[in-house]
Amino acid sequence: MDAKLFGEVFVTLLVITDPPGMMPIFLALTGPMSARDRHRAAWQAVALALGVIVVFAVAGQTLLDYLHVDLPALQAAGGLLLVLVALELLTGKADDPSQQSTTNIALVPLGTPLLAGPGAIVATMLFVQQADGAADVTAIAAAIVAVMVAVWVVLRFSGGIVKVLRPGGIEVLTRIAGLLLAAIAVQLIADAIAAFVTQYASLT
């Protein structure tokens, strides 16, 4: 296994997934849940993210080509999903226990597009395309798994912070997380628009 490639992939994906930055968003979305449901949401989100990244690593370009979808379109879609979640956090709708679903929160937005977002998908696809032989593929696969394990550890043991913050702190954190998510969403959409403009300008 190529240790240098492993390090490059690991660091790149770790920076993109940003486990410390994910923590406030995770706590905001799972704050009203029991510890058991929060732990379940953590592993479900990581499992989905790992599955999505692996699928796109293996057949991402083929799938996008078949559907006639460009990467900027995928990026814009992720941004729109985050806008919806951000609005729920900012308006307080995410605080309603009757509206909470562990599985839904774990899948969207935690699993995707936050963990397995356009950045992680594109980076993985590029690494796979540049891989030369089984050793490189093994290094990339090991790095992806290592990053997902690191993310799971951070999310799994973030529950202790909930006890410190208490309901009032969670509410403040929820609003801040909503603002951060909105900013991330706007940036994703802006980058997608810029990519579309550049792409079509080059064609003309």
Side-chain angles (χ1 to χ4, degrees):
M1 186 175 73
D2 189 337
K4 181 181 178 183
L5 180 60
F6 172 88
E8 290 177 358
V9 178
F10 179 81
V11 171
T12 300
L13 291 181
L14 194 67
V15 170
I16 292 173
T17 54
D18 187 18
M22 275 290 298
M23 192 184 297
I25 297 171
F26 176 76
L27 291 177
L29 291 170
T30 62
M33 293 181 180
S34 64
R36 181 179 178 181
D37 285 342
R38 192 180 305 113
H39 297 162
R40 193 191 322 162
W43 76 256
Q44 284 178 339
V46 170
L48 174 68
L50 178 60
V52 170
I53 289 176
V54 169
V55 167
F56 274 93
V58 174
Q61 195 59 55
T62 303
L63 180 62
L64 292 180
D65 290 343
Y66 177 76
L67 296 174
H68 304 290
V69 173
D70 293 327
L71 285 174
L74 190 67
Q75 194 168 7
L80 291 175
L81 278 174
L82 291 186
V83 166
L84 296 176
V85 178
L87 289 175
E88 287 190 356
L89 292 176
L90 289 170
T91 58
K93 290 183 179 179
D95 298 334
D96 185 358
S98 65
Q99 300 295 324
Q100 292 287 354
S101 171
T102 305
T103 303
N104 288 345
I105 289 174
L107 301 183
V108 179
L110 291 177
T112 182
L114 285 176
L115 289 177
I121 289 172
V122 172
T124 304
M125 288 171 60
L126 289 176
F127 278 121
V128 170
Q129 289 173 5
Q130 296 168 4
D132 183 20
D136 286 356
V137 173
T138 302
I140 294 171
I144 293 172
V145 172
V147 168
M148 290 297 110
V149 169
V151 172
W152 177 82
V153 169
V154 171
L155 298 184
R156 168 65 176 77
F157 294 101
S158 62
I161 300 176
V162 174
K163 299 177 182 178
V164 176
L165 292 176
R166 298 183 182 277
I170 289 293
E171 185 175 352
V172 173
L173 189 64
T174 298
R175 302 298 179 263
I176 295 173
L179 185 61
L180 292 174
L181 266 184
I184 294 171
V186 170
Q187 187 63 57
L188 281 173
I189 295 172
D191 290 346
I193 293 173
F196 272 125
V197 171
T198 303
Q199 179 179 337
Y200 288 107
S202 63
L203 294 177
T204 58

